[in-house]
Amino acid sequence: MKLKLTWLMTLFMALVMQFSFAQEKTVTGTVISEADGLPLPGVNVIVKGTTRGVQTDFDGNYTITANVGETLVFSFVSMKAVEIVVGTSNSINVSMQEDIAALEEVVVVGYSSQDKTKVSGAVSVVNAEAIEQVPLASFDQILQGQAPGVQISAGSGQPGASARVRIRGNGSINGSNDPLYIIDGIQVSAGDFAAINPNDFENISILKDASATAPYGSRGANGVIVVTTKKGAFGEKTRFTYRTQYGVSHVGNSRFDLMNSSQLLNFQKLVGRGTGASLSDAEIAELSQTNTNWEDYFFRTGQTVSHELAMTGGSEKSRFYSSISYFDQEGIADRSNLKRFTLRNNYEVRPNDKTKIGLNTLVAYAISDLIDSESSITLQNPYAAVYLASPYYTPYKEDGSYNTSNGNVGANALENLHVNGRENKQIRFVGSGFAERELFKNISARTDLGVDYSQDNTFRFADPSTYYGSITEPGFAGFYTEANSYYANITSTTRLMYENTFANKHNFTAGVFMEYVKTHARSSSFTGYGINPTLPGVPAGISEGTPENELIPSVGGSVTERGLFSYFGVANYDYDGRFGLDVSLRRDASSKFSDENQWGTFYSVAGRWNISNEAFLSGNRTINNLKLRASYGTSGNQNAVADFAYATEYGQTSYNGNTGIAFGRIGNEDLKWETSNQFNVGIDYDLFDYRLSGTVEYYNNKTTDLFVTYNLSQASSGVSSIQANAGSMRNAGVDVSLTGVLVRTNDFEFEVNGNFNYNKNEILDLGQVSQFEQGTSIIREGLPLGSHYIVKWAGVNPANGEPLYYDIDGNVTNVYSEANSVADFGSYNPVWTGGFGAKLKYKAFEVSTLFSFAADYYRFNNQTFFQENPNFAQYNLSTIMLDMWQQPGDITEVQSYLYNREFSSKDIEDASFTKWRNLTVAYNLPQRYIDSIGYITGLRVYAQGQNLYTWTKFTGFDPEDSNNIAQYEYPTPRIFTVGLDLKF
């Protein structure tokens, strides 16, 4: 009986094991990204409800043992988790989608990254997709219209020219209002961006309030733009990306019409000025046969070419990103180009769980051919000459030489453009390294050291055989000038961090920092005259200067050193993901101030309430994320004064032929920091399964101890002014951003987005005075910065054609007097700014577009003062002048030539605009075709247009500019490009 029972038990166990083995199987497969079809290494593959799991290898492959009916869970950072039940098949391939909610959950703030839901400050994020492959050489211009509260104005269409950037308005009257730029922890200047490849950027964080900028102290008073470059991924197979782009640039259409030869010559005869004044009707008719369109000679179709090869990858303990790029962009006029060569290497190694070491380097070489006087009203400026040149002149003589003469503006400028030269060569190195080590549990230390270094060589020359060379003084035989400079900004930051979680609900992080920023700059220049005609454009052509020939070269140079030393602390507390508190305290010492006022103390406090994490919203299907946050803090600005402005400056002078020493500047040892007091409250939301997302913020920033320039009597000191801390100013406004996914299916997605800023600026106090003039504007208590100040135009008297104006009391007068100037014409700083756009994806096709706008914004159009002025009839004029008053009863806005044309509010125009920035159409090769090719992992082709159209009432070249007075600036071109992105 015992033997029989043993036999039955053995048979039962065998059947059970046989059944078990029959259900267990080995499952293999590949995991890829649905967005680009690339394999995903490091994906966690776990049997649900167990601890059994594996990770995908470099090629996205995995192998796991599971039973039929069990569920495999595939999870990866920034991807939506996928669950698949094991069936009869031994192969399960998975395509993972990006998790929209997770894609933006990490934000770079200050010296660290932070979960988006735990950010208490005002931060806007622009990702790499928005800035890649935009055919603009300067990254700051690419940011236009991308974030609320960030106003960016392109000052020039010159390839590589930097833009004017303001974050939430101007915080200083006399000081710099530029934001701080940080790349991988290192401070750089706006001028760096012409030598940097934006395709290397991973994301951009724009820090706008005191809490967000607090870690940067006084350097961040005007906001901070933090750029993080690409780094690669640990455990990632090496991948390559090749990008190329080709495009053409065109000048846009002018918003005014010029006279033809017949119109201009007859007008000159009428007013008695210019060539036509002394010609007979027959002579005018003969000369009118020549009608030169100078645009055909000055403007060209520029070309843009770029090539880039990037490599990214990593091992278990290291990661890297390397790229090499070439960018060549021609401007829309000859001698207007930028060639840029860049090499970037980012490398990080983690030899063990407690240590991180990294090095990020950029080496760049840029060559810029530059236009003479590209933003001023001089006859050498080709963008002035092209419209001031008379159409009855020709550019060339019959023998092919330039038709230059004292009156031929067009040929003179054209010869200067083609023959003479101005070039800048720059070598730039931006490097940063760090070492981080966990010292004890929850305590780590880190040191960062970086440098932004540039070396520039600029030369300019005029050939003595050219018209402008022949009128050069002294010598009337051309000139050669050369300048050399270097700039080095060194940043060193050391920190000690503590991080811990208590009772699974209380998360606490604190850090102490010490930072040192040192700037070194040196420059030298010389200009020589009397150029040997066989050696133009080189120093060897300069004649030796003697007292007899008076060709004495001029020389110059400067040396600058300044430093900023800081120590500060930050602390962050989070309770259960529901409430958070961030505090910071910082002490800065600047060499710009005297010993008594070197130190400034600044702080910030910020709190947040993650409402969507509260129990009463648990399970709510409408609200995915809802967060209320507020902050208050202070920040200092040292960039309002020159280096060592507290000290009295002396310089050489000459009196009655004798050399002596005189005051160059009277110092003020009482100078101290300008202080910005910033309040911000905002709400962030994601609704309807992240289909609707946005932010609404209100801010109120008051700057105190503003630097104000007071006039002095020159009788005793010889110096006309002195600076003092005496003013205050406020910027208050609203930032709004909104993104809505209107349609989202497997094949089709349509998204719209928009942002705007409303900023009200007001000067509150000027100390001992209530107002003072600054150029064409008035600095007055109660008015915004940049308020135009000029005599008000009242029209033309139809009885006699004389110009009329308003006096200070509002009465019409025919007397022009600057004493009647008023400030009733708005400001050149816009009140409303923003951008909006849309993205559409259908299967393999993508279409995206972007617009930007500015409103309640006024500029002087100084071009009309020249183009609509009979006093300048020797140049070409606008056809508006054909409506000039000529007889009693004429109703017109163009006064008679018998009266002098004055600078008045007639020249102020509404410069509000909406600009179509970009349109991109792209095609991504479907995965099935990529698989059939085999040796590539992605292919994208696209076409795009940049600066396509501008809606505006402004009649100048471009309403958007960094200058409040339009002066024939380099026009912003339209750019059309096609490109290819290849991944393998």
Side-chain angles (χ1 to χ4, degrees):
M1 184 67 181
K2 184 177 180 181
L3 180 61
K4 184 177 181 180
L5 183 60
T6 301
W7 181 83
L8 288 173
M9 288 296 294
T10 303
L11 180 61
F12 175 76
M13 291 299 295
L15 290 172
V16 170
M17 292 180 66
Q18 183 178 1
F19 177 80
S20 177
F21 283 125
Q23 297 300 308
E24 191 174 67
K25 61 168 61 181
T26 299
V27 180
T28 62
T30 302
V31 183
I32 64 171
S33 167
E34 184 180 277
D36 54 21
L38 296 176
L40 291 175
V43 175
N44 293 313
V45 185
I46 299 175
V47 178
K48 190 174 184 178
T50 74
T51 58
R52 307 197 315 272
V54 297
Q55 283 191 335
T56 57
D57 62 15
F58 288 159
D59 297 314
N61 300 320
Y62 73 94
T63 300
I64 192 171
T65 300
N67 296 322
V68 173
E70 288 186 316
T71 300
L72 298 182
V73 180
F74 300 81
S75 62
F76 190 64
V77 175
S78 80
M79 295 288 183
K80 291 182 178 179
V82 177
E83 295 188 6
I84 297 179
V85 177
V86 177
T88 58
S89 175
N90 293 327
S91 177
I92 298 178
N93 296 321
V94 175
S95 177
M96 300 188 73
Q97 295 180 341
E98 292 177 337
D99 187 344
I100 296 175
L103 284 175
E104 298 180 337
E105 66 180 10
V106 176
V107 177
V108 178
V109 287
Y111 295 86
S112 62
S113 298
Q114 197 170 6
D115 189 316
K116 178 185 175 182
T117 62
K118 297 181 180 179
V119 174
S120 301
V123 182
S124 294
V125 177
V126 180
N127 58 33
E129 182 184 358
I131 62 173
E132 287 179 343
Q133 295 297 69
V134 177
L136 295 175
S138 186
F139 150 75
D140 46 8
Q141 291 192 32
I142 299 175
L143 281 180
Q144 289 176 311
Q146 303 274 12
V150 183
Q151 185 220 343
I152 300 176
S153 302
S156 169
Q158 166 75 35
S162 58
R164 175 182 183 263
V165 181
R166 295 291 181 267
I167 297 178
R168 291 182 168 178
N170 295 278
S172 179
I173 293 176
N174 292 315
S176 170
N177 288 287
D178 295 334
L180 172 69
Y181 297 96
I182 300 291
I183 297 181
D184 292 332
I186 301 304
Q187 178 178 336
V188 301
S189 65
D192 289 358
F193 293 123
I196 295 177
N197 179 13
N199 289 341
D200 290 335
F201 297 169
E202 183 68 37
N203 59 60
I204 299 95
S205 293
I206 302 169
L207 316 183
K208 298 183 288 187
D209 72 337
S211 174
T213 64
Y216 295 103
S218 60
R219 294 188 293 156
N222 298 311
V224 185
I225 296 179
V226 181
V227 176
T228 304
T229 59
K230 296 175 180 177
K231 299 293 191 296
F234 294 99
E236 178 185 39
K237 180 182 178 181
T238 300
R239 303 174 188 173
F240 296 87
T241 301
Y242 169 71
R243 290 178 167 139
T244 186
Q245 191 174 107
Y246 173 78
V248 294
S249 304
H250 303 278
V251 66
N253 297 325
S254 58
R255 294 180 176 82
F256 52 89
D257 296 319
L258 296 174
M259 293 185 185
N260 59 33
S261 294
S262 176
Q263 291 169 327
L264 180 59
L265 288 166
N266 281 290
F267 185 85
Q268 290 173 341
K269 186 175 183 178
L270 173 66
V271 302
R273 185 186 297 272
T275 301
S278 59
L279 299 180
S280 66
D281 290 345
E283 290 172 321
I284 288 176
E286 182 179 355
L287 190 54
S288 295
Q289 299 302 308
T290 299
N291 253 309
T292 301
N293 183 352
W294 289 100
E295 288 189 1
D296 295 339
Y297 295 92
F298 280 100
F299 294 134
R300 68 178 178 183
T301 298
Q303 298 185 58
T304 299
V305 178
S306 68
H307 299 278
E308 174 191 333
L309 180 64
M311 178 175 65
T312 181
S315 64
E316 249 182 64
K317 295 186 177 182
S318 66
R319 60 175 175 170
F320 67 88
Y321 172 85
S322 298
S323 74
I324 185 170
S325 71
Y326 167 72
F327 181 89
D328 185 356
Q329 187 168 68
E330 294 178 339
I332 53 176
D334 287 332
R335 218 180 79 211
S336 170
N337 313 289
L338 171 68
K339 291 184 179 180
R340 178 180 69 204
F341 307 84
T342 68
L343 173 64
R344 173 168 289 281
N345 281 296
N346 294 344
Y347 182 73
E348 181 180 345
V349 61
R350 298 181 180 180
N352 53 56
D353 293 339
K354 296 184 177 182
T355 307
K356 302 177 184 178
I357 301 171
L359 181 64
N360 306 315
T361 60
L362 167 73
V363 179
Y365 177 60
I367 305 172
S368 297
D369 288 330
L370 303 169
I371 296 292
D372 279 346
S373 308
E374 64 186 62
S375 59
S376 62
I377 300 179
T378 69
L379 298 181
Q380 289 168 271
N381 176 1
Y383 306 117
V386 71
Y387 298 112
L388 294 174
S390 299
Y392 47 76
Y393 282 120
T394 59
Y396 302 104
K397 298 177 182 177
E398 291 184 0
D399 62 3
S401 62
Y402 291 97
N403 187 23
T404 58
S405 66
N406 185 40
N408 195 343
V409 172
N412 297 343
L414 192 65
E415 179 191 54
N416 181 62
L417 182 67
H418 290 166
V419 180
N420 298 328
R422 180 178 170 216
E423 186 177 86
N424 172 264
K425 297 179 180 179
Q426 182 185 82
I427 296 175
R428 182 166 293 277
F429 173 80
V430 181
S432 63
F434 73 90
E436 183 174 341
R437 173 75 178 179
E438 182 182 327
L439 303 179
F440 308 100
K441 184 179 179 181
N442 305 321
I443 299 178
S444 63
R446 173 168 169 151
T447 294
D448 292 77
L449 179 64
V451 62
D452 173 24
Y453 175 84
S454 66
Q455 185 167 313
D456 285 76
N457 170 261
T458 302
F459 73 86
R460 183 175 174 230
F461 73 91
D463 190 310
S465 65
T466 64
Y467 172 79
Y468 282 113
S470 69
I471 63 173
T472 298
E473 294 188 66
F476 304 103
F479 69 89
Y480 177 88
T481 183
E482 185 167 337
N484 292 280
S485 65
Y486 81 82
Y487 169 89
N489 192 77
I490 302 168
T491 306
S492 173
T493 308
T494 301
R495 72 187 79 171
L496 191 66
M497 298 295 298
Y498 172 81
E499 183 174 2
N500 204 354
T501 300
F502 305 94
N504 294 321
K505 289 188 176 182
H506 304 275
N507 300 294
F508 181 73
T509 302
V512 291
F513 296 71
M514 182 174 67
E515 188 168 69
Y516 184 56
V517 180
K518 186 67 181 291
T519 300
H520 302 263
R522 178 184 290 268
S523 67
S524 61
S525 64
F526 66 88
T527 301
Y529 306 95
I531 304 301
N532 186 324
T534 63
L535 294 171
V538 293
I542 299 173
S543 295
E544 182 178 354
T546 66
E548 289 75 24
N549 64 22
E550 297 183 345
L551 300 178
I552 307 300
S554 61
V555 297
S558 65
V559 177
T560 300
E561 287 191 16
R562 58 178 172 269
L564 179 71
F565 177 75
S566 312
Y567 57 89
F568 55 101
V570 297
N572 311 103
Y573 170 73
D574 170 73
Y575 173 71
D576 198 25
R578 294 160 56 198
F579 300 99
L581 180 67
D582 302 337
V583 297
S584 71
L585 181 66
R586 178 162 179 145
R587 291 270 288 167
D588 286 331
S590 171
S591 62
K592 290 192 172 187
F593 304 106
S594 64
D595 292 343
E596 291 76 15
N597 293 313
Q598 271 190 348
W599 287 95
T601 302
F602 311 104
Y603 68 91
S604 73
V605 179
R608 60 175 166 80
W609 178 24
N610 295 84
I611 305 172
S612 53
N613 290 344
E614 294 293 345
F616 60 79
L617 286 179
S618 177
N620 187 290
R621 296 183 179 182
T622 301
I623 300 174
N624 306 108
N625 173 56
L626 185 62
K627 179 176 63 175
L628 177 66
R629 50 186 170 79
S631 68
Y632 182 81
T634 61
S635 184
N637 184 11
Q638 60 163 331
N639 293 324
V641 294
D643 294 327
F644 310 105
Y646 65 89
T648 298
E649 186 180 86
Y650 298 90
Q652 288 188 357
T653 189
S654 178
Y655 179 75
N656 199 25
N658 298 313
T659 301
I661 302 296
F663 286 115
R665 176 183 69 198
I666 294 181
N668 181 358
E669 292 193 354
D670 292 330
L671 288 176
K672 58 184 178 180
W673 300 80
E674 288 187 346
T675 301
S676 177
N677 307 269
Q678 303 178 9
F679 170 75
N680 187 88
V681 61
I683 188 164
D684 305 326
Y685 58 88
D686 297 284
L687 310 174
F688 310 112
D689 193 23
Y690 297 94
R691 299 282 289 269
L692 184 66
S693 302
T695 296
V696 179
E697 294 181 280
Y698 168 78
Y699 61 89
N700 191 328
N701 302 338
K702 181 181 178 182
T703 305
T704 58
D705 293 324
L706 281 171
F707 291 101
V708 175
T709 301
Y710 288 138
N711 293 327
L712 300 175
S713 170
Q714 291 186 320
S716 59
S717 66
V719 178
S720 61
S721 62
I722 187 172
Q723 284 192 317
N725 296 94
S728 63
M729 182 168 59
R730 173 180 286 113
N731 286 283
V734 177
D735 283 347
V736 175
S737 65
L738 178 68
T739 299
V741 182
L742 304 184
V743 181
R744 182 188 292 157
T745 67
N746 291 334
D747 292 334
F748 183 74
E749 183 173 313
F750 180 55
E751 173 189 305
V752 295
N753 59 79
N755 67 82
F756 76 84
N757 166 261
Y758 167 80
N759 184 75
K760 179 177 174 57
N761 176 274
E762 182 183 3
I763 297 169
L764 302 175
D765 182 31
L766 293 173
Q768 298 177 13
V769 298
S770 61
Q771 67 178 44
F772 59 87
E773 294 182 40
Q774 191 173 72
T776 60
S777 66
I778 187 79
I779 308 298
R780 177 185 290 172
E781 294 176 358
L783 290 181
L785 187 69
S787 294
H788 295 295
Y789 187 64
I790 200 73
V791 176
K792 188 174 183 179
W793 171 256
V796 175
N797 187 338
N800 57 14
E802 68 177 350
L804 301 175
Y805 309 95
Y806 289 99
D807 66 18
I808 196 70
D809 297 317
N811 302 309
V812 176
T813 176
N814 61 357
V815 177
Y816 179 88
S817 173
E818 292 185 356
N820 290 325
S821 296
V822 292
D824 298 336
F825 317 109
S827 168
Y828 57 78
N829 292 304
V831 176
W832 299 87
T833 59
F836 56 93
K839 297 178 182 178
L840 183 151
K841 293 182 180 180
Y842 177 69
K843 294 186 177 180
F845 292 92
E846 298 176 5
V847 179
S848 63
T849 190
L850 175 67
F851 297 79
S852 67
F853 65 87
D856 205 353
Y857 164 50
Y858 303 87
R859 293 182 66 205
F860 271 108
N861 186 357
N862 209 17
Q863 294 162 205
T864 63
F865 184 79
F866 289 87
Q867 306 285 175
E868 301 176 15
N869 192 337
N871 296 334
F872 295 104
Q874 66 270 36
Y875 307 115
N876 204 355
L877 299 173
S878 168
T879 54
I880 291 175
M881 295 303 295
L882 299 176
D883 295 328
M884 182 181 68
W885 185 96
Q886 296 187 45
Q887 60 186 8
D890 284 351
I891 306 299
T892 177
E893 281 294 297
V894 182
Q895 67 199 51
S896 169
Y897 69 91
L898 298 173
Y899 302 93
N900 195 40
R901 169 79 146 81
E902 302 289 354
F903 201 45
S904 70
S905 67
K906 180 180 180 180
D907 299 304
I908 298 177
E909 295 182 9
D910 184 351
S912 302
F913 67 87
T914 298
K915 183 170 289 191
W916 192 2
R917 290 284 176 195
N918 181 275
L919 173 66
T920 301
V921 179
Y923 175 77
N924 297 284
L925 191 66
Q927 187 63 40
R928 63 182 182 276
Y929 298 123
I930 292 174
D931 292 339
S932 65
I933 296 173
Y935 52 85
I936 66 171
T937 57
L939 176 64
R940 181 176 187 262
V941 294
Y942 61 90
Q944 65 176 316
Q946 193 76 17
N947 294 321
L948 294 169
Y949 193 81
T950 301
W951 291 268
T952 184
K953 297 178 181 177
F954 191 71
T955 62
F957 283 164
D958 196 332
E960 175 194 18
D961 195 12
S962 59
N963 190 348
N964 69 311
I965 301 179
Q967 303 181 96
Y968 296 101
E969 295 89 349
Y970 194 130
T972 303
R974 290 193 183 106
I975 306 175
F976 300 92
T977 59
V978 293
L980 168 72
D981 294 352
L982 179 65
K983 298 180 180 181
F984 54 98

